[in-house]
Each structure stands twice: as C-alpha cells, then as structure tokens.
C-alpha cells in the first residue's frame, strides 16, 4: 500500500509540475498552506482567512473526485 501511495503522490506532483510549466513558472505562486485551519489558526496568524477558505474548498473538491472515482453519490 505504501508503494501505491508514493506512486500516486509522484504522479500528482508530475501533473502539478506540468501545469506549472504550461502556465509559466513566473505566472504563479506556490507556497505551503496550513491544511484544516481553524478560526483560531487564522486569529493566531498560522493561516489567512483566504487560505482557510481555499483549503476547505480544495478538500471538498478532492472528496467529490474520490466519490466520482468510487462511483458514490
């Protein structure tokens, strides 16, 4: 199972890198965002409100993708 996870992660990174190159390296900003940030994390400056909304949206879209692949919903 671990090897499969590594393979999937590598594949995702390959896809991400292709997208970065296609759009142009200077045309985007990549940075780490705290996942699953809470309102307290925002208050403490560990995350921004925009990052929190963006990450929550990404999580929901990822869940939909998994459901679509699994044939759920």
């Amino acid at each position: 199972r671990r090897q499969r996870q590594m393979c999937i992660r590598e594949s995702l990174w390959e896809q991400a890198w292709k997208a970065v190159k296609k759009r142009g390296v200077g045309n985007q900003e990549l940075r780490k965002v705290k996942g699953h940030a809470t309102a307290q994390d925002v208050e403490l400056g560990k995350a921004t409100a925009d990052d929190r909304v963006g990450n929550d949206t990404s999580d929901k879209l990822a869940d939909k993708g998994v459901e679509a692949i699994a044939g759920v919903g």
Side-chain angles (χ1 to χ4, degrees):
R1 181 178 172 149
R2 177 99 170 124
Q3 280 184 319
R4 178 173 160 75
Q5 287 176 337
M6 291 298 290
C7 182
I8 290 169
R9 287 185 187 140
E10 287 177 22
S11 176
L12 290 173
W13 280 112
E14 286 174 14
Q15 291 176 37
W17 183 242
K18 286 178 185 176
V20 167
K21 290 195 307 187
K22 183 177 181 179
R23 291 178 180 93
V25 177
N27 293 329
Q28 52 205 308
E29 177 185 338
L30 300 175
R31 59 190 169 82
K32 182 179 183 331
V33 173
K34 179 171 179 16
H36 310 290
T38 63
Q40 185 178 16
D41 291 326
V42 173
E43 289 175 23
L44 294 173
K46 294 180 180 180
T48 68
D50 286 343
D51 288 345
R52 181 180 181 203
V53 170
N55 185 257
D56 289 348
T57 301
S58 295
D59 286 345
K60 288 175 187 169
L61 291 172
D63 289 343
K64 282 185 177 184
V66 169
E67 290 171 1
I69 290 169
V72 178

